[in-house]
Amino acid sequence: MFPLEIVTLARLLIDEARQRSLRIVTAESCTAGLVAGAIGSIAGASDVLERGFVTYSNRAKQELLGVPGDLIADLGAVSEPVARMMAEGALEASNAHLAVAITGIAGPGGGTAMKPVGTVHIATARANERILHKAELFEFETREEIQLAAVQSALQAMLDRLS
């Protein structure tokens, strides 16, 4: 279902989280649950995957994750502060120890000069630690390629938080 690189990262993440007795939560917009799906495709995922939020709409980001509407209105849903708030909100709305949030523009439309198609913001949060963020610009031809690249980057970001 997923490319080998994603399956490998998901398996490593599950193993690392299991060894540390950590639970994971995802908050996804442009990937629409693919990160949780990648983790869930691995046997043993139930040991660590606590839940996943698909917050595709701005309203869902507000209602489920507590992202302020004025923040979204001022900076747009595809922004570093929104990704950070999504990660923080996912931690608070779950019993997890590690959160990842993704918001971006998978295309083929929706991009602008300031935020072209392929722009993705990923944030990770751990209980009692600072939120980390990375911005990506995936220059691929298709929506699927951008989404899979974002999934791979998100899994790597979570693994990095555990090392």
Side-chain angles (χ1 to χ4, degrees):
M1 182 173 5
F2 290 97
L4 180 59
E5 298 85 3
I6 289 176
V7 170
T8 301
L9 286 172
R11 186 171 285 121
L12 288 170
L13 177 64
I14 290 168
D15 290 345
E16 290 293 322
R18 184 185 297 120
Q19 287 177 5
R20 292 168 171 76
S21 299
L22 298 177
R23 290 182 303 276
I24 296 167
V25 61
T26 64
E28 302 180 64
S29 187
C30 67
T31 50
L34 290 172
V35 174
I39 296 167
S41 73
I42 306 298
S46 59
D47 293 342
V48 300
L49 183 60
E50 205 271 341
R51 70 182 70 181
F53 295 96
V54 176
T55 54
Y56 214 79
S57 72
N58 292 342
R59 184 174 178 178
K61 289 173 184 67
Q62 293 171 55
E63 291 176 359
L64 297 175
L65 303 175
V67 178
D70 58 346
L71 182 67
I72 295 171
D74 291 345
L75 300 174
V78 180
S79 64
E80 177 179 344
V82 169
R84 287 175 177 274
M85 290 293 300
M86 288 172 65
E88 182 178 23
L91 265 188
E92 291 175 2
S94 68
N95 293 312
H97 306 98
L98 173 64
V100 68
I102 304 178
T103 182
I105 304 166
T112 66
M114 295 293 290
K115 296 179 186 179
V117 169
T119 300
V120 175
H121 291 272
I122 298 170
T124 56
R126 283 191 69 175
N128 304 312
E129 293 185 19
R130 66 188 180 98
I131 299 168
L132 299 181
H133 165 267
K134 66 178 177 176
E136 302 273 15
L137 179 57
F138 298 114
E139 296 180 354
F140 293 110
E141 294 295 316
T142 69
R143 179 178 183 84
E144 179 183 56
E145 289 173 310
I146 291 168
Q147 288 176 318
L148 290 175
V151 169
Q152 186 170 337
S153 186
L155 291 169
Q156 187 63 60
M158 285 190 287
L159 265 172
D160 292 346
R161 285 304 296 259
L162 297 180
S163 52

